[in-house]
């Protein structure tokens, strides 16, 4: 055989069968290590490589077991773990501790003959192991090449948290362990376990057995978003103290602290159902079957309530060795306290002070006397807060600044970046029902937890970052996984990396390899970031819409218009007519989900529009132009940016179809879209009025219609199109007024009688 033919054959064989090619580790992982210095050469790990840990070091023995387990799961290679007094035999992976600085920091030195993972503590060593684990490709192999390098790493925040609400829906002890595994994969060190709420008490308390006998069960569960319909199925579950201890140990082995939350004095209905004497009215109470904020809360004026809390916390402290105990404090209405003789008497006794602050102070003191520190939600932050306590800022990032000024530490968990119960796509049709909102991976990634307004010397009080998973709309554990992955990957980088080293495009390039690990363990995850992304811009001067499509890795994209023949996407599409565009990407022969956009062109499209009343600031998005940009919101998600919202004011838009003095177009129909989410206080219009004018000053009313108040009819979220037909008329200007609901009906228990939001999108005029 000629030499060149032999060479060619080898190339072909190498390509086809990877003949002898050893997979290579890649340190571009999530979260990205602080500093990686690549060096020449590589260290080959084979099944003969050992993981060596220091003699008598139980923590590193356990760490060694984790590393061996990970490598086995990912590659099939079975590495032995061995102890050694002098942990430096060549050819091996050596685990060590030592070093100074951040106790969760670590250094990894990979040379041609060994890999040394040195943690500043066993926890640091574990994070080094996580880094190595994530650098390994998921592939069956008998050897892996680790490029020589030095990795020096440490986290930005000492508190890196993730919560799970097990009250609204219950997840088994084994599912909670899987959750902990997922946290460990993302270098998260704190699991905030929301154990009690109105809809179920989930922790066994020996002194109060009814908490689980009665409080852990509800008769049934509301369907969807407080639709008024119920599933008729009893629901319940709780963890025995034995199960809890087992989970606490399981987490500790993975350097995860569990902070239990017993939410008080609100969110206590399950406890009140069990012990009605703890409430202001004495009941009877029922474990709640709907979502929201209950007005029935602990009767803080009754000394029995504090005794109850202290007894519960005494058992909680025995189970959880955490430095901090979370005592909730969020969303506690004072309605019952205001009418309760005991609470009124207490209020008088404390000189008219705030009852919640008083109660929080008592519990905080109790915990302090027992060597523990308190965490509260931001509503419970008060000026008398002990400086050893910590506040979790959820609906108010400014609370972080307030806490810092009081020298109280804070954990940042703002809803708009950290509430993983929100939708992760704006196109929610086909998504499992969620609480609402819109929190894509990119938004999570963009969080800068330390408010710039916090003075330099107080910034240190921002102690950590956490995302929360409330489970009202999350009935199964696979949906838990779907909601947190891959947003948790973005969170982990916010928690671990300095802001200067964060880069979303780089993150997106690193994510596919992490996802291979999700696949390996069978974790369900959301795939939106891998699908086709659209950049849609309306050109108001040209009167068209330009649609650019892309993917994170330049995968091939196919699109069609109105369901026609699929074309390969090449350059941005210019849309001038009403149509629907669908697109998907293809990778390794597999298609992603299809995305679709609807465009409507009419006499109002891209014409100048003025709004008499300002939209609500948070829901202004693109402003009035959104109503005539040709891009139609096809999903009710009012947070998507395709709707604009008005509160306690009407939509009052004037569109110039043609300037005064120019030929007035003939029109006979106006349509407006409205988004409805009743349970969120987003209601339909109560009236539609249409006016026309030749000069934009004097308007003639040509149409008027009233709509009935919305009812609770089992349908909560949808889009309504209001169409006004009228006699043909010529108009240079058309004015559209939609009157919003000013008094929400009784079924909106939290806001009855108050104004609703009115959300509108595309106005067409024909
Ligand atoms: C919360 O979301 N109520 C803390
Ligand atoms: Zn009371």
């Amino acid at each position: 055989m000629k030499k060149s033919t032999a060479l060619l054959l080898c190339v072909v064989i190498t390509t086809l069968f990877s003949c002898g090619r050893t997979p290579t580790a890649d340190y571009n992982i999530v979260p990205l290590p602080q500093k990686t210095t690549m060096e020449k050469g590589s260290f080959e790990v084979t099944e003969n490589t050992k993981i060596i840990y220091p003699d008598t070091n139980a923590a590193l023995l356990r760490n060694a077991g984790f590393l061996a387990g990970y490598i086995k799961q990912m590659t099939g290679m079975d590495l032995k773990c061995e102890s050694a007094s002098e942990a430096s035999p060549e050819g091996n992976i050596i685990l060590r501790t030592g070093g100074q600085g951040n106790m969760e920091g670590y250094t990894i030195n990979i040379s041609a003959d060994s890999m040394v993972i040195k943690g500043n503590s066993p926890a640091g060593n574990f994070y080094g192991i996580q880094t190595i684990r994530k650098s390994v490709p998921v592939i069956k192999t008998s050897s892996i090449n680790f490029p020589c390098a030095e990795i020096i790493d440490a986290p930005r925040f000492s508190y890196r948290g993730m919560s799970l609400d097990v009250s609204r829906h219950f997840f088994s002890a084994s599912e909670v362990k899987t959750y902990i595994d997922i946290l460990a994969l993302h270098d998260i060190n704190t699991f905030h376990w929301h154990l009690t709420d109105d809809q179920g008490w989930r922790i066994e308390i020996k002194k109060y057995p009814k908490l689980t006998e009665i409080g852990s069960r509800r008769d049934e569960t509301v369907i969807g978003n407080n639709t008024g319909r119920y599933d008729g199925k009893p629901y319940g579950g709780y963890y025995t103290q034995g199960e809890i201890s087992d989970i606490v140990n399981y987490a500790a082995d993975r350097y995860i602290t569990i902070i239990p939350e017993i939410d008080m004095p609100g969110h206590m209905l399950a406890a009140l159902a069990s012990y009605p004497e703890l409430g202001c009215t004495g009941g009877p109470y029922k474990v709640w079957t709907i979502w929201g904020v209950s007005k029935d809360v602990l009767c803080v004026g009754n000394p029995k309530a504090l005794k109850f809390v202290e007894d519960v916390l005494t058992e909680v402290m025995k189970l959880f060795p955490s430095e901090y105990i979370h005592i909730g404090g969020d969303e506690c209405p004072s309605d019952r306290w205001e009418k309760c003789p005991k609470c009124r008497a207490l209020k008088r006794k404390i000189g008219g002070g705030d009852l919640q602050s008083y109660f929080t102070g008592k519990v905080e003191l109790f915990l302090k006397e027992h060597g523990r520190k308190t965490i509260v939600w931001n509503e419970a932050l008060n000026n008398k807060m002990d400086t050893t306590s910590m506040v979790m800022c959820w609906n108010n990032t400014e609370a972080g600044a307030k806490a810092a000024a009081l020298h109280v530490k804070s954990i940042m968990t703002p809803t708009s970046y950290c509430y993983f119960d929100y939708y992760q796509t704006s196109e929610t049709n086909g998504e499992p029902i969620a609480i609402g909102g819109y929190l894509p991976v990119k938004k999570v990634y963009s969080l800068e937890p330390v408010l710039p307004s916090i003075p330099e010397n107080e910034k240190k009080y921002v102690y950590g970052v956490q995302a929360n998973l409330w489970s009202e709309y999350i009935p199964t554990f696979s949906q838990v996984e779907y909601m947190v992955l891959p947003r948790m990957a973005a969170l982990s980088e916010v928690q671990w990396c300095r802001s200067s080293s964060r880069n979303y495009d780089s993150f997106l390039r690193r994510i596919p390899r992490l996802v291979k690990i999700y696949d390996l363990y069978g974790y369900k995850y959301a795939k939106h970031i891998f699908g086709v992304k659209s950049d849609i811009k309306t050109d108001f001067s040209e009167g068209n819409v330009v649609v650019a499509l892309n993917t994170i890795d330049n995968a091939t994209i196919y699109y069609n218009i109105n369901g026609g023949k699929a074309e390969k996407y090449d350059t941005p599409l210019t849309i001038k007519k009403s149509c629907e565009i669908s697109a998907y990407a293809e990778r390794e022969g597999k298609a992603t989900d299809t995305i679709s956009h609807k465009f409507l062109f009419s006499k109002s499209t891209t014409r100048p529009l003025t709004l008499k009343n300002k939209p609500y600031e948070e829901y202004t998005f693109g402003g009035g132009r959104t109503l005539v940009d040709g891009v139609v919101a096809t999903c009710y998600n009012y947070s998507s940016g395709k709707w604009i919202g008005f509160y306690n004011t009407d939509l009052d838009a004037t569109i110039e179809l043609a300037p005064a003095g120019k030929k007035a177009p003939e029109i006979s129909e106006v349509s407006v879209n409205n988004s409805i989410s009743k349970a969120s206080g987003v209601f339909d219009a109560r009236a539609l009025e249409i006016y026309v004018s030749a000069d934009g000053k004097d308007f003639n009313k040509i149409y008027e219609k009233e709509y009935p108040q919305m009812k609770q009819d089992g349908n909560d979220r949808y889009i309504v199109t209001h169409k006004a037909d009228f006699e043909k008329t010529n108009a240079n200007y058309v004015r559209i007024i939609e009157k919003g609901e000013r008094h929400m009906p009784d079924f909106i228990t939290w806001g009855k009688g108050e104004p609703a939001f009115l959300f509108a999108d595309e106005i067409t005029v024909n």
Side-chain angles (χ1 to χ4, degrees):
M1 197 189 302
K2 277 206 319 209
K3 230 175 167 182
S4 57
T5 320
L7 196 68
L8 182 69
L9 211 64
C10 185
V11 169
V12 171
I13 292 171
T14 310
T15 318
L16 286 179
F17 302 105
S18 302
C19 82
R21 195 141 47 87
T22 301
T24 302
D26 182 343
Y27 312 125
N28 288 300
I29 58 151
V30 178
L32 189 66
Q34 221 176 83
K35 186 160 175 243
T36 302
T37 311
M38 299 303 292
E39 285 154 14
K40 282 213 178 78
S42 63
F43 172 56
E44 188 181 24
V45 169
T46 67
E47 288 200 287
N48 296 325
T49 309
K50 290 179 192 133
I51 302 172
I52 312 262
Y53 59 93
D55 271 344
T56 70
N57 190 326
L60 292 205
L61 160 65
R62 199 175 48 239
N63 286 2
F66 281 126
L67 180 57
Y70 298 143
I71 292 179
K72 173 111 205 253
Q73 288 151 357
M74 296 174 79
T75 65
M77 287 164 62
D78 221 342
L79 270 52
K80 300 271 169 313
C81 302
E82 259 181 28
S83 68
S85 52
E86 274 297 306
S88 59
E90 287 189 356
N92 292 317
I93 300 172
I94 297 148
L95 306 187
R96 282 194 184 143
T97 48
Q100 280 161 7
N102 188 323
M103 292 315 280
E104 292 181 302
Y106 65 89
T107 312
I108 305 174
N109 276 293
I110 301 135
S111 63
D113 54 25
S114 68
M115 175 192 298
V116 179
I117 307 175
K118 188 167 100 180
N120 293 345
S121 69
N125 180 271
F126 183 76
Y127 295 118
I129 286 172
Q130 292 304 323
T131 291
I132 289 302
R133 163 202 198 177
K134 285 180 261 192
S135 74
V136 171
V138 179
I139 187 167
K140 285 276 167 272
T141 181
S142 55
S143 63
I144 315 159
N145 269 336
F146 287 85
C148 292
E150 183 185 55
I151 303 172
I152 302 174
D153 197 13
R156 177 180 177 193
F157 289 103
S158 330
Y159 181 112
R160 303 181 302 281
M162 186 75 226
S163 77
L164 181 64
D165 164 15
V166 294
S167 170
R168 277 57 176 264
H169 283 101
F170 177 73
F171 305 103
S172 70
S174 119
E175 288 166 338
V176 171
K177 285 184 177 173
T178 302
Y179 197 68
I180 289 166
D181 290 341
I182 295 174
L183 303 200
L185 176 65
H186 295 86
D187 299 20
I188 288 173
N189 66 0
T190 308
F191 170 40
H192 165 184
W193 204 358
H194 184 81
L195 285 161
T196 65
D197 215 304
D198 298 313
Q199 294 82 1
W201 184 281
R202 308 277 176 232
I203 169 174
E204 179 189 25
I205 300 293
K206 304 250 194 229
K207 193 159 185 182
Y208 296 90
K210 286 193 215 159
L211 287 173
T212 41
E213 281 163 25
I214 295 171
S216 74
R217 298 173 202 183
R218 58 178 181 255
D219 293 345
E220 55 187 351
T221 305
V222 70
I223 294 173
N225 311 85
N226 285 350
T227 51
R229 288 184 293 128
Y230 294 83
D231 65 4
K233 294 183 201 150
Y235 186 90
Y238 69 92
Y239 309 98
T240 63
Q241 295 202 347
E243 283 174 315
I244 287 180
S245 295
D246 180 45
I247 292 171
V248 167
N249 292 335
Y250 186 88
D253 284 351
R254 289 150 183 83
Y255 302 91
I256 292 173
T257 301
I258 303 189
I259 296 185
E261 181 188 356
I262 307 296
D263 204 345
M264 63 184 84
H267 290 281
M268 265 282 172
L269 202 45
L272 301 191
S274 316
Y275 296 96
E277 65 273 24
L278 300 175
C280 290
T281 64
Y285 304 104
K286 271 178 68 180
V287 180
W288 231 14
T289 54
I290 59 166
W291 317 127
V293 175
S294 164
K295 292 204 165 119
D296 286 306
V297 302
L298 271 186
C299 175
V300 292
N302 180 352
K304 272 192 190 165
L306 188 60
K307 175 77 172 65
F308 164 79
V309 163
E310 290 179 353
D311 288 343
V312 166
L313 290 178
T314 300
E315 293 193 32
V316 166
M317 284 187 284
K318 280 202 188 112
L319 293 169
F320 294 93
S322 55
E323 183 182 5
Y324 289 92
I325 305 285
H326 200 314
I327 58 163
D330 57 325
E331 300 176 319
C332 182
S334 58
D335 305 50
R336 298 288 184 262
W337 296 345
E338 282 153 24
K339 298 204 174 102
C340 166
K342 291 194 190 91
C343 290
R344 288 165 70 112
L346 176 65
K347 197 166 172 87
R348 277 195 303 278
K349 192 172 143 199
I350 62 171
D354 173 51
L355 284 180
Q356 185 168 351
S357 303
Y358 171 82
F359 179 79
T360 304
K362 288 278 180 205
V363 182
E364 188 183 41
L365 185 63
F366 175 79
L367 288 174
K368 196 171 181 180
E369 283 167 358
H370 290 78
R372 304 301 180 95
K373 298 174 181 169
T374 300
I375 302 185
V376 289
W377 293 110
N378 58 235
E379 294 97 315
L381 175 67
N382 64 73
N383 292 342
K384 294 201 196 110
M385 200 108 230
D386 195 283
T387 51
T388 61
S389 295
M390 200 141 73
V391 60
M392 247 179 206
C393 304
W394 69 283
N395 55 9
N396 180 354
T397 42
E398 277 69 43
K402 188 173 161 199
L406 294 167
H407 292 191
V408 167
K409 284 185 196 159
S410 61
I411 305 299
M412 284 296 152
T413 178
T415 52
S416 44
Y417 296 87
C418 295
Y419 268 41
F420 288 1
D421 53 339
Y422 286 11
Y423 282 110
Q424 37 204 330
T425 168
S426 58
E427 295 309 310
T428 49
N429 300 336
E431 283 290 304
I433 186 170
I435 196 160
Y438 172 40
L439 177 54
V441 175
K442 189 173 184 178
K443 181 91 189 273
V444 178
Y445 197 85
S446 70
L447 172 64
E448 172 41 52
V450 183
L451 278 185
S453 63
I454 301 179
E456 214 47 49
N457 62 335
E458 289 174 357
K459 285 191 168 37
K460 60 175 185 262
Y461 292 108
V462 179
Y463 189 59
V465 185
Q466 173 171 304
N468 296 325
L469 193 70
W470 303 105
S471 62
E472 286 94 332
Y473 301 94
I474 306 182
T476 64
F477 190 70
S478 88
Q479 203 176 327
V480 166
E481 294 173 346
Y482 178 78
M483 296 307 276
V484 298
L485 300 177
R487 289 189 283 199
M488 199 189 286
L491 171 76
S492 78
E493 210 142 287
V494 174
Q495 293 172 325
W496 190 277
C497 304
R498 276 107 201 111
S499 36
S500 56
S501 65
R502 276 200 272 135
N503 176 296
Y504 187 62
D505 288 334
S506 147
F507 167 78
L508 288 179
R509 284 194 296 275
R510 287 178 278 118
I511 233 348
R513 293 185 44 252
L514 181 64
V515 159
K516 290 251 166 38
I517 302 182
Y518 297 169
D519 284 330
L520 173 72
Y521 292 109
Y523 300 151
K524 189 166 180 199
Y525 56 93
K527 299 191 172 146
H528 308 100
I529 58 170
F530 306 110
V532 175
K533 289 271 154 300
S534 340
D535 184 13
I536 301 176
K537 287 207 172 77
T538 302
D539 188 333
F540 284 82
S541 54
E542 292 294 322
N544 59 38
V545 181
V546 178
V547 181
L549 304 174
N550 60 72
T551 62
I552 59 171
D553 55 356
N554 292 323
T556 308
I557 296 173
Y558 296 92
Y559 73 95
N560 73 59
I561 298 182
N562 294 331
K565 186 168 162 284
E567 309 268 353
K568 200 161 156 179
Y569 173 82
D570 188 12
T571 49
L573 313 168
T574 302
I575 314 292
K576 296 178 180 161
K577 287 195 295 205
S578 297
C579 67
E580 192 163 333
I581 292 185
S582 302
Y584 63 91
E586 221 175 68
R587 282 187 197 91
E588 295 162 11
K590 276 201 217 141
T592 64
D593 284 347
T594 299
I595 54 140
S596 295
H597 297 291
K598 189 173 167 190
F599 305 94
L600 274 181
F601 281 71
S602 74
K603 288 176 180 149
S604 55
T605 311
T606 69
R607 297 300 308 161
L609 178 146
T610 48
L611 288 177
K612 179 150 179 263
N613 307 317
K614 270 195 185 159
Y616 190 76
E617 193 176 341
E618 192 184 339
Y619 299 117
T620 300
F621 301 112
R625 279 185 156 192
T626 307
L627 303 176
V628 287
D629 63 1
V631 184
V632 182
T634 49
C635 144
Y636 55 73
N637 188 348
Y638 57 82
S639 306
S640 67
K642 289 186 174 172
W643 301 94
I644 57 172
F646 296 86
Y647 183 71
N648 206 11
T649 185
D650 298 326
L651 159 67
D652 187 341
T654 301
I655 305 169
E656 181 201 85
L657 301 178
K662 296 274 182 203
K663 185 168 185 299
E666 187 180 75
I667 64 170
S668 61
E669 181 194 296
V670 169
S671 81
V672 193
N673 281 353
N674 295 110
S675 175
I676 315 298
S677 288
K678 291 180 216 167
S680 307
V682 177
F683 273 62
D684 194 9
R686 293 299 305 271
L688 174 64
E689 294 171 7
I690 313 285
Y691 301 77
V692 290
S693 163
D695 58 7
K697 293 185 188 113
D698 292 325
F699 281 87
N700 253 339
K701 191 191 275 182
I702 55 163
Y703 182 90
E704 180 174 28
K705 185 160 181 182
E706 292 199 351
Y707 306 114
Q709 185 172 59
M710 303 205 89
K711 293 195 172 61
Q712 189 177 40
D713 56 8
N715 291 323
D716 183 69
R717 298 173 174 185
Y718 49 98
I719 295 172
V720 173
T721 301
H722 290 298
K723 205 159 165 199
D725 293 304
F726 40 84
E727 294 246 318
K728 278 188 188 146
T729 180
N730 290 76
N732 293 74
Y733 295 85
V734 56
R735 181 176 175 196
I736 296 107
I737 299 178
E738 266 199 332
K739 298 200 165 151
E741 175 61 76
R742 291 296 201 280
H743 303 284
M744 284 192 283
D746 287 358
F747 72 85
I748 304 298
T749 47
W750 52 269
K752 60 182 174 191
E754 290 173 22
F757 274 94
L758 174 71
F759 275 82
D761 180 39
E762 215 57 16
I763 300 179
T764 62
V765 179
N766 280 307

